[in-house]
Amino acid sequence: MTEPYKHKAVPALDVFKPDLFKDKVVFVTGGGSGICYGVTETLMRFGAKAAIVGRKAERLRAAAQQLERDTKSKAIATPGDVRKIETIQHAVKQTLDAFGKIDFVICGAAGNFMAPIEGLSSNAFRAVVEIDLIGTFNTVRATMEEVKKNHGSYVHISATLHYSGLPWQSAASSAKAGIDAFSAALAVELGPFGVRSNCIAPGLIAGTEGADRLVPQGQEEMAQGFIPMQRIGQKEDIANAAVFLFSEAASWVTGQILVVDGGSVHFRGPFLPYPDAVMDTQSFKSLFPGSKM
């Protein structure tokens, strides 16, 4: 039997010119870890300077220092909570004081956990929506005048959760659907100012909190088997998509959602046993240690 072929993740520097983002400044929420850290690192390797935003100041400062060491470009930590616009406005001021402008914005701060609707409190649902959706709005409102000046670009980190009625993911699905709609409206309103807005919808990405929470323990190989490209995604895959969307090659691309998931959205395997997982939620709690019931 022929083994399935697996494409490897390709570093962006193998494809794009090295000084692609020289003198550009990127403002990144959620930039202290995960996918957004990986995207920031890649943009900095192309010459961009970065301001990363997150709630945990010490971890953020350590991340900024590591980014500088690894890329030889400049990064600053600008602590803030996307749920509070005044803290994001302060982070924007810090960025302008350090770098003088903002060209690109990545809206990537996110919160999520596994929970059936019956296990969600109003506060828990609100928390996810506030971080993901309200946080995106606050980030855009705090940065848009600067981005307009530089005819810049927004990339919002969305998801594919809401493309179907995915059990145990109602809060994140609702928030990400809102982000997709908001990005489209932003593209229309700011297009005449030379500003573009697009979403990247990652699939399952290795080494992220999302992968750790959403894949049942011990089921990593099964999850990979349901991906047409036969591998779990890497942070480089999302970084490459961001490089394209921020580059001049995408100058006529706005209001779009770029799904980067190895084809998973077209061939979804069983995320949870159905209908068992909704009829008897407690029986599956052990598969997701961080879930709420």
Side-chain angles (χ1 to χ4, degrees):
M1 176 177 158
T2 304
E3 289 293 317
Y5 183 82
K6 299 180 183 180
H7 283 285
K8 294 182 179 179
V10 177
L13 285 164
D14 289 358
V15 180
F16 301 95
K17 65 180 184 179
D19 61 348
L20 185 61
F21 298 128
K22 183 181 178 182
D23 298 325
K24 298 294 186 181
V25 176
V26 60
F27 183 88
V28 188
T29 64
S33 62
I35 286 174
C36 290
Y37 181 94
V39 173
T40 304
E41 179 183 359
T42 297
L43 296 179
M44 288 177 66
R45 290 186 186 279
F46 285 105
K49 301 178 181 69
I52 56 174
V53 183
R55 286 180 290 170
K56 299 178 180 178
E58 286 303 317
R59 186 171 81 168
L60 203 65
R61 281 190 278 271
Q65 292 167 1
Q66 188 65 51
L67 285 167
E68 288 195 334
R69 286 193 293 269
D70 291 343
T71 68
K72 307 301 185 285
S73 189
K74 296 293 184 182
I76 61 170
T78 54
D81 184 340
V82 293
R83 296 171 295 182
K84 302 174 182 177
I85 192 168
E86 63 274 11
T87 71
I88 304 305
Q89 291 168 333
H90 181 65
V92 168
K93 183 180 183 301
Q94 289 179 289
T95 304
L96 297 177
D97 289 345
F99 301 134
K101 64 172 184 169
I102 296 173
D103 298 285
F104 305 144
V105 176
I106 299 172
C107 298
N112 193 11
F113 45 78
M114 298 290 294
I117 294 171
E118 68 178 0
L120 273 175
S121 67
S122 178
N123 286 338
F125 189 93
R126 182 184 296 110
V128 174
V129 172
E130 284 184 347
I131 295 170
D132 289 47
L133 181 54
I134 305 301
T136 294
F137 172 82
N138 287 342
T139 301
V140 169
R141 281 298 286 121
T143 59
M144 63 187 295
E145 292 306 316
E146 295 302 320
V147 176
K148 283 163 65 176
K149 289 177 186 176
N150 298 300
H151 313 300
S153 184
Y154 288 90
V155 165
H156 313 275
I157 305 302
S158 185
T160 62
L161 305 170
H162 51 292
Y163 297 173
S164 62
L166 197 61
W168 294 27
Q169 286 288 274
S170 60
S173 295
S174 300
K176 295 300 188 183
I179 288 171
D180 290 356
F182 181 70
S183 175
L186 187 64
V188 173
E189 291 196 23
L190 297 192
F193 297 95
V195 174
R196 297 182 297 110
S197 175
N198 292 288
C199 293
I200 295 175
L204 188 62
I205 304 299
T208 63
E209 285 189 25
D212 292 341
R213 292 180 181 182
L214 299 179
V215 177
Q217 288 188 328
Q219 299 299 313
E220 293 80 6
E221 191 170 326
M222 181 196 75
Q224 178 174 281
F226 283 110
I227 299 172
M229 297 308 295
Q230 293 296 289
R231 68 171 174 86
I232 292 173
Q234 301 296 317
K235 294 170 189 173
E236 292 93 336
D237 295 308
I238 309 306
N240 289 346
V243 169
F244 165 68
L245 288 174
F246 281 131
S247 78
E248 288 301 310
S251 63
W252 213 45
V253 178
T254 192
Q256 301 303 307
I257 302 166
L258 178 55
V259 177
V260 185
D261 72 344
S264 302
V265 73
H266 301 295
F267 185 66
R268 287 203 170 185
F271 183 72
L272 284 166
Y274 186 82
D276 299 16
V278 295
M279 299 294 292
D280 181 15
T281 58
Q282 293 296 327
S283 295
F284 297 91
K285 183 178 180 179
S286 62
L287 292 177
F288 302 97
S291 64
K292 293 182 180 294
M293 293 293 168

